[in-house]
């Protein structure tokens, strides 16, 4: 936990430590100046052992409950943050045209080029890149399996460094080259491969637009947890009939997955 009610935990810990030290010092001074009060306070402990034990156990239980609540909050925060980092990697801002979900319109690739030129040399931006991300049903014609929704991701080969994995590899850790894909070839991630019962060489039908587009499975890549199909940006543009247009501009801020988020507001 980093903050409680908007206050830094380090500040809270320092304030509470100072208060504890002040209370202990005050009690020690009172015991030294008024020893009778000290004896009156300590005498009931051996006389009423059951009550004293019950009070101590109650305080310990209360401390345990509060500590467990903080630990649970920390665990949930860590889990949510881990999922977000795994899904987004070093991407800090996503720029899209106005609209909702699948209705978001495509826009000219030239707009990305203009923005890239405007941000050239801006110290808080590491990288800016164009992309296409589209959800669509897919059918594995070879194994006769289907998936209601798969994420079609189109990137330029030189932009793979912005992915959470930094690169795409197979299950054995061998690198896979995005530029090595043929005209109708695609990589699937493990989730899509399992859901579609797919293997290299299988034929897929991706239902985007008026007619399904055929792709051949080139291999399985380690990327993300949700079913995903990775192709080059040009392949994705042709698949969705949006030549020369993109749907998303991804921005990576200065710093790693966590440090970059600090610059998002600016």
């Amino acid at each position: 936990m980093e903050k409680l009610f908007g206050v830094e935990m380090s500040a809270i810990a320092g304030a509470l430590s100072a208060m504890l030290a002040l209370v202990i010092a005050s009690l020690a001074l009172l015991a030294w100046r008024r020893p009778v009060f000290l004896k009156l306070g300590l005498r009931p402990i051996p006389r009423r052992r059951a009550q004293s034990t019950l009070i101590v156990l109650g305080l310990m239980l209360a401390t345990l409950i509060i500590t467990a609540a903080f630990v649970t909050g920390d665990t949930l925060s860590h889990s949510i943050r881990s999922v977000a980092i795994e899904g987004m990697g070093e991407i800090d801002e996503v720029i899209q045209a106005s609209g909702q979900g699948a209705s978001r319109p495509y826009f000219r690739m030239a707009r990305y080029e203009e923005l890239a030129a405007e941000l050239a040399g801006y110290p808080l931006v590491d990288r800016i890149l164009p992309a296409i991300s589209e959800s669509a049903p897919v059918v594995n014609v070879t194994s006769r399996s289907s998936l209601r929704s798969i994420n079609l991701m189109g990137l330029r080969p030189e932009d793979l460094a912005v992915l959470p994995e930094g690169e795409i590899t197979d299950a054995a850790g061998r690198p896979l080259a995005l530029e090595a894909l043929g005209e109708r070839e695609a990589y699937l991630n493990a989730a899509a491969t399992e859901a579609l019962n797919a293997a290299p060489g299988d034929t897929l039908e991706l239902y985007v637009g008026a007619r399904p587009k055929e792709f051949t499975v080139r291999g399985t890549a380690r990327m993300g947890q949700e079913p995903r199909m990775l192709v080059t940006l040009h392949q994705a543009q042709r698949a969705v009939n949006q030549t020369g247009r993109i749907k998303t501009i991804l921005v990576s801020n200065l710093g790693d997955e966590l440090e970059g988020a600090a610059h998002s507001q600016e």
Side-chain angles (χ1 to χ4, degrees), residues 159-212:
D159 293 330
L160 289 180
V162 80
L163 292 177
E165 299 81 5
E167 62 177 356
I168 53 173
T169 60
D170 60 15
R174 294 185 294 265
L176 300 174
L178 189 58
E179 60 271 19
L181 291 176
E183 179 72 16
R184 293 293 181 181
E185 291 183 328
Y187 291 122
L188 299 180
N189 68 349
T193 299
E194 181 178 357
L196 293 171
N197 191 24
D202 284 4
T203 300
L204 305 179
E205 287 186 348
L206 185 69
Y207 287 82
V208 288
R211 301 175 60 182

Side-chain angles (χ1 to χ4, degrees), residues 20 24 34 47 60 67 82 97 103 105 107 126 133 144 159-160 173 181 185 192 212 237-238 242 245 247 249:
L20 177 61
I24 293 176
R34 298 288 190 272
R47 289 185 175 183
M60 292 174 62
T67 304
S82 299
S103 65
F107 50 91
D126 270 343
S133 180
R144 297 184 179 181
D159 293 330
L160 289 180
L181 291 176
E185 291 183 328
Q237 289 172 333
R238 288 191 294 268
Q242 295 288 345
R245 303 174 74 84
K247 196 171 187 178
I249 297 177

Side-chain angles (χ1 to χ4, degrees), residues 77-125:
S77 298
H78 177 73
S79 299
I80 294 173
R81 177 178 293 180
S82 299
V83 171
I85 292 175
E86 185 176 2
M88 298 296 291
E90 295 193 16
I91 298 171
D92 297 292
E93 290 90 38
V94 177
I95 303 173
Q96 295 177 320
S98 59
Q100 296 294 329
S103 65
R104 293 188 187 276
Y106 285 78
F107 50 91
R108 297 177 299 109
M109 180 71 172
R111 184 64 191 97
Y112 155 76
E113 296 170 350
E114 294 169 2
L115 185 61
E118 293 170 4
L119 293 177
Y122 184 57
L124 296 184
V125 171

Side-chain angles (χ1 to χ4, degrees), residues 18-176:
M19 292 173 59
L20 177 61
L22 180 61
V23 169
I24 293 176
S26 300
L27 290 176
L29 179 61
L30 181 62
W32 177 64
R33 296 286 300 274
R34 298 288 190 272
V36 176
F37 290 164
L38 177 62
K39 294 179 180 179
L40 290 176
L42 296 178
R43 184 178 297 176
I45 296 177
R47 289 185 175 183
R48 297 178 176 84
R49 296 178 181 176
Q51 292 182 4
S52 300
T53 303
L54 183 62
I55 291 172
V56 172
L57 291 177
L59 293 174
M60 292 174 62
L61 181 61
T63 304
L64 177 62
I65 292 174
I66 295 174
T67 304
F70 286 149
V71 171
T72 302
D74 285 347
T75 302
L76 289 176
S77 298
H78 177 73
S79 299
I80 294 173
R81 177 178 293 180
S82 299
V83 171
I85 292 175
E86 185 176 2
M88 298 296 291
E90 295 193 16
I91 298 171
D92 297 292
E93 290 90 38
V94 177
I95 303 173
Q96 295 177 320
S98 59
Q100 296 294 329
S103 65
R104 293 188 187 276
Y106 285 78
F107 50 91
R108 297 177 299 109
M109 180 71 172
R111 184 64 191 97
Y112 155 76
E113 296 170 350
E114 294 169 2
L115 185 61
E118 293 170 4
L119 293 177
Y122 184 57
L124 296 184
V125 171
D126 270 343
R127 183 188 295 263
I128 176 173
L129 54 103
I132 286 180
S133 180
E134 194 74 68
S135 295
V138 63
V139 174
N140 186 345
V141 179
T142 305
S143 66
R144 297 184 179 181
S145 302
S146 64
L147 194 57
R148 182 177 62 181
S149 179
I150 192 172
N151 175 239
L152 173 68
M153 175 65 73
L155 292 173
R156 299 181 303 182
E158 63 267 26
D159 293 330
L160 289 180
V162 80
L163 292 177
E165 299 81 5
E167 62 177 356
I168 53 173
T169 60
D170 60 15
R174 294 185 294 265
L176 300 174

